[in-house]
Amino acid sequence: MDSHILPPDVYELAQRVIDENKAIGRTVTVAESCTGGLVAAALTEIPGSSAVFHCGFTTYSNDAKIGMLDVPQDLIEVFGAVSMAVAWAMAQGALAHSDADIAVAISGVAGPGGGTEQKPVGTVVFAKAGRGEDPENIQADRQDFGEDKSRAAIRLQAVICALELLLPDGP
């Protein structure tokens, strides 16, 4: 029987996130949509993670993004839930509703349905925000993991990207 819930490479990356953030005294929070709490699960799989991981927001529905993270409804209506604008608002909301120093947000189309020509299955957006940083200095990115990937593969790749963003020297 495996001793960890997630694959070894994800566990090792989560361990680095906890260790490296602990070393600099930084706490983290996540706002997740398409990953459904998997980033939080990866972080809390690490013994001692409570020194770094403050909380996680699993805001799968648009109503949850609006209600829990104060994402403006007009942002969702204009840009869609899978947009850098909404991911940025999610990250800002996670900071506002936690005591964490840094937040990473994830929203995407994991499939197998739900994709469009502009945002095909495999499209995932990420945003990273830090407490005290200029909110006009938007740190967001879009990844296209490929329509040919399974839902599980897209979500796992999104978890890895989010964890990398939480590293102190991350992108």
Side-chain angles (χ1 to χ4, degrees):
M1 180 177 217
D2 291 334
S3 60
H4 306 298
I5 294 172
L6 297 167
D9 58 332
V10 174
Y11 182 86
E12 290 165 13
L13 182 55
Q15 181 78 60
R16 278 188 59 208
V17 169
I18 297 301
D19 291 347
E20 293 180 24
N21 280 288
K22 185 176 183 180
I24 62 169
R26 186 169 82 167
T27 56
V28 304
T29 184
V30 292
E32 302 182 67
S33 187
C34 68
T35 49
L38 288 172
V39 179
L43 292 170
T44 57
E45 184 75 0
I46 307 303
S49 59
S50 61
V52 171
F53 183 65
H54 185 265
C55 64
F57 300 89
T58 303
T59 54
Y60 204 71
S61 72
N62 291 342
D63 286 343
K65 290 172 183 65
I66 294 164
M68 293 173 66
L69 298 174
D70 300 323
V71 173
Q73 185 170 346
D74 62 333
L75 271 186
I76 295 172
E77 290 170 359
V78 172
F79 299 105
V82 181
S83 65
M84 288 188 278
V86 168
W88 179 244
M90 289 170 64
Q92 291 293 322
L95 280 180
H97 291 281
S98 75
D99 291 328
D101 300 311
I102 189 165
V104 166
I106 311 106
S107 187
V109 185
T116 65
E117 191 174 318
Q118 294 80 20
K119 297 173 190 172
V121 168
T123 302
V124 182
V125 292
F126 301 88
K128 178 173 140 180
R131 187 166 307 285
E133 292 178 2
D134 181 357
E136 299 300 313
N137 181 22
I138 295 173
Q139 298 180 56
D141 192 23
R142 173 181 163 155
Q143 297 286 328
D144 295 302
F145 296 126
E147 292 182 78
D148 60 329
K149 302 285 189 305
S150 70
R151 179 178 179 83
I154 291 165
R155 293 175 79 209
L156 186 60
Q157 195 59 49
V159 168
I160 291 167
C161 285
L163 289 171
E164 288 172 347
L165 286 169
L166 288 168
L167 290 168
D169 60 349

